[in-house]
Amino acid sequence: MLVADLLVFAFSSTAVAGVLTPQAWVTSSDGVYNLSSYEPPTKGVGHTTLNSTWALQVDDTTKGHKQVITGFGAAVTDAVTATFDALNPIAKAEVLAELFTTFSRDGVGFSLLRHTIGSSDLSPDIYSYDNVTNPDPELRHFNLEPEGNAQVDWIRAFKLINPSIKLLGSVWAPPGWMQLDHVMVGTNNNNSLNMRYAESFGQYFVKYIEAFNRGGVEVDAITIQNEPLNSNAGYPTMVINATQSTDLIQNYVGPALKKARLNTAVWAYDHNTDAPWYPQTVLDGAGDYVNTVAWHCYATNNSWDVLTQFHQANPNAIQYMTECWTSPTNTWYSTADFVMGPLQNWASGSIAWTMASSTTYGPHLPGGCTTCRGLVSIDIEQGTYVKTLDYYLIGQFSRFIPRGAIALNTTGSYDFGGGAKLEAQAFVNPDQSRTVVIQNNFGNGIYVTVTMGSGEVWKGPVYGKSLTTWVLPPAKGKGWLAFKA
């Protein structure tokens, strides 16, 4: 892979600065539209032949300001690096430009990534960064292994194209010798950390972050355990209860990072919304090192309202949706849901699982996810790729909501149940333009009216079973020069 060639491709077109006229873009479940330009909304009086109408309200004054947005993206797994390696040189340049810039026609400008520290269920093999059988408390055998080095190489290439990328690292399981069951997979018995190696556990993160730094990749944040309440014998997992997580962060991981003078943040939890007491326990007991919570989407009857409740109890805490799978077995709107819902409830970003996979949803471990399809599906034999519906749906957010945008109080969404709903969320961008994302799950088009707190009224059509993004110019008297970050 020639990075110079990638950069030339990525920046071969010119971005348009500022928003002077309203724009609309749409992705539809029927494949007719994929991040496609659409009939823009009009200000004031509008006319329509559509029978269905809907009213939304957005407070675009400072009183309506909520959380600041960091970004959107996907997971970098061993499945990603293995399939990217199989792309032909032209396809590599194209897909990286599309994923990490907004200069290409389908560019989604990802700026928030999560990568796997050691193997996950989306790995061809089981390994850790201290891949020995016998205890190695001083981590003398620490090694990123070929898979870890491949992640360094690819993430470095991603960051060369988009230097603003923020990276979260998550562990599926530490080395087997650190665990009471002595293995990374194969058993659910004693699947937890041997606290004899708590200091080694903290140093494991230090060595990993330093190794990535030497490879040219800064790790912005970590979670000490992916899905700490999940114990699965088929792929790497480890159980860490809330009290233990608090102890490990406050007394081992946090101090180890501080002593090594590393600025990497520690995020709490990294699991489902049905146990909010877990991250609350961690914030209460390890607040010296933690102010951010990571959530997943897999709870039975998942409700993103939990994030609003958590914000009310912890108004200074930052929240992210850090994992939800994309699959052809899901509803067409599941990806829209796991971005829209968290954003409506104080999340600062959302990360899909996973960025890429083969056409057979691999590579993966035998006990891992067999139907996880990446946002990009790669034909390993041909060295080519296609962008999935999920890619375009996330792009309806990531392409039009830049870092530093502020979520606005948005009302009028309604869920009738059974997937029948219209959801919306609005933002004010750093240049004071405004973005409104509207999810229409109904089969028919709807004429939507958005009334702004600043006094403006915008009206326009929204295609059936689609995700539509309106980009509106700054309100009268506003502009990018007046923006204060």
Side-chain angles (χ1 to χ4, degrees):
M1 176 175 54
L2 297 177
V3 173
D5 292 340
L6 296 178
L7 295 174
V8 169
F9 182 91
F11 297 103
S12 60
S13 58
T14 303
V16 178
V19 177
L20 302 178
T21 59
Q23 305 166 15
W25 306 83
V26 63
T27 292
S28 58
S29 66
D30 58 14
V32 172
Y33 298 101
N34 291 308
L35 272 176
S36 304
S37 180
Y38 196 64
E39 181 180 340
T42 57
K43 186 166 66 171
V45 178
H47 302 282
T48 182
T49 58
L50 295 173
N51 294 323
S52 299
T53 61
W54 202 285
L56 299 169
Q57 302 79 39
V58 173
D59 187 354
D60 61 340
T61 71
T62 55
K63 293 181 180 180
H65 285 191
K66 295 176 67 178
Q67 76 274 22
V68 178
I69 303 303
T70 300
F72 309 88
V76 182
T77 63
D78 294 330
V80 172
T81 58
T83 54
F84 274 15
D85 281 341
L87 289 169
N88 68 60
I90 294 177
K92 286 180 183 178
E94 289 177 344
V95 74
L96 295 195
E98 291 182 319
L99 284 166
F100 299 111
T101 81
T102 57
F103 292 92
S104 66
R105 182 241 176 267
D106 287 345
V108 293
F110 283 171
S111 60
L112 181 63
L113 303 180
R114 177 177 183 240
H115 91 98
T116 55
I117 304 171
S119 61
S120 71
D121 51 320
L122 295 186
S123 296
D125 301 297
I126 300 164
Y127 71 97
S128 74
Y129 291 167
D130 196 280
N131 210 31
V132 294
T133 302
N134 295 325
D136 181 25
E138 295 182 2
L139 301 173
R140 292 176 178 175
H141 297 281
F142 184 92
N143 190 321
L144 291 181
E145 302 295 327
E147 296 89 345
N149 284 311
Q151 290 209 12
V152 169
D153 291 342
W154 275 106
I155 296 170
R156 184 174 63 246
F158 302 161
K159 287 197 168 194
L160 281 171
I161 294 173
N162 183 358
S164 69
I165 287 173
K166 289 189 177 295
L167 180 66
L168 167 69
S170 299
V171 177
W172 263 242
W177 58 263
M178 286 190 187
Q179 302 180 50
L180 290 174
D181 58 6
H182 308 295
V183 293
M184 293 180 67
V185 298
T187 177
N188 285 328
N189 297 322
N190 293 319
N191 186 19
S192 57
L193 186 71
N194 185 340
M195 290 301 289
R196 177 187 302 175
Y197 301 117
E199 289 189 9
S200 301
F201 185 72
Q203 287 301 315
Y204 186 71
F205 288 98
V206 170
K207 285 185 171 292
Y208 138 69
I209 294 166
E210 290 177 340
F212 267 56
N213 283 345
R214 288 193 297 271
V217 174
E218 181 179 353
V219 180
D220 297 283
I222 58 168
T223 57
I224 67 169
Q225 177 61 47
N226 171 67
E227 299 185 348
L229 299 178
N230 176 29
S231 183
N232 190 311
Y235 61 89
T237 60
M238 188 176 75
V239 175
I240 299 180
N241 65 41
T243 301
Q244 188 180 32
S245 180
T246 302
D247 180 27
L248 286 168
I249 294 171
Q250 183 70 14
N251 298 315
Y252 298 98
V253 177
L257 298 180
K258 183 177 181 180
K259 184 176 180 180
R261 298 184 178 180
L262 296 171
N263 295 321
T264 303
V266 182
W267 295 0
Y269 194 39
D270 219 3
H271 209 169
N272 295 335
T273 58
D274 54 1
W277 49 266
Y278 189 117
Q280 187 65 67
T281 299
V282 176
L283 263 65
D284 290 345
D288 291 345
Y289 297 103
V290 180
N291 75 336
T292 301
V293 177
W295 303 95
H296 294 189
C297 74
Y298 307 117
T300 302
N301 301 318
N302 178 62
S303 173
W304 296 115
D305 292 343
V306 169
L307 277 67
T308 289
Q309 296 164 13
F310 198 86
H311 168 78
Q312 291 168 346
N314 306 272
N316 295 322
I318 302 168
Q319 303 183 77
Y320 292 93
M321 200 300 294
T322 54
E323 184 184 320
C324 197
W325 73 319
T326 55
S327 172
T329 64
N330 291 342
T331 62
W332 75 265
Y333 55 87
S334 63
T335 296
D337 279 355
F338 75 64
V339 185
M340 179 71 76
L343 291 175
Q344 291 173 323
N345 289 279
W346 295 91
S348 291
S350 189
I351 303 173
W353 178 261
T354 173
M355 185 186 297
S357 67
S358 71
T359 54
T360 55
Y361 316 133
H364 57 75
L365 295 175
C369 182
T370 59
T371 55
C372 286
R373 181 182 65 186
L375 303 181
V376 174
S377 181
I378 295 176
D379 186 324
I380 294 175
E381 297 297 325
Q382 298 297 319
T384 57
Y385 72 96
V386 295
K387 302 183 290 289
T388 66
L389 173 63
D390 304 300
Y391 170 95
Y392 290 108
L393 290 171
I394 293 182
Q396 291 287 149
F397 297 91
S398 63
R399 184 177 173 92
F400 306 106
I401 305 170
R403 178 167 298 159
I406 300 171
L408 298 171
N409 187 37
T410 305
T411 57
S413 299
Y414 195 81
D415 186 346
F416 291 93
K421 61 182 179 179
L422 187 142
E423 302 282 354
Q425 180 58 50
F427 308 83
V428 59
N429 300 318
D431 65 357
Q432 289 294 287
S433 65
R434 293 155 296 171
T435 298
V436 185
V437 186
I438 305 168
Q439 178 183 342
N440 176 17
N441 278 24
F442 298 101
N444 57 284
I446 297 177
Y447 193 69
V448 173
T449 299
V450 178
T451 302
M452 298 286 184
S454 60
E456 296 179 352
V457 177
W458 292 89
K459 301 179 179 182
V462 174
Y463 194 76
K465 291 187 177 180
S466 76
L467 194 60
T468 297
T469 305
W470 289 355
V471 181
L472 308 175
K476 186 176 181 180
K478 301 286 185 178
W480 71 272
L481 288 174
F483 180 78
K484 294 182 180 179

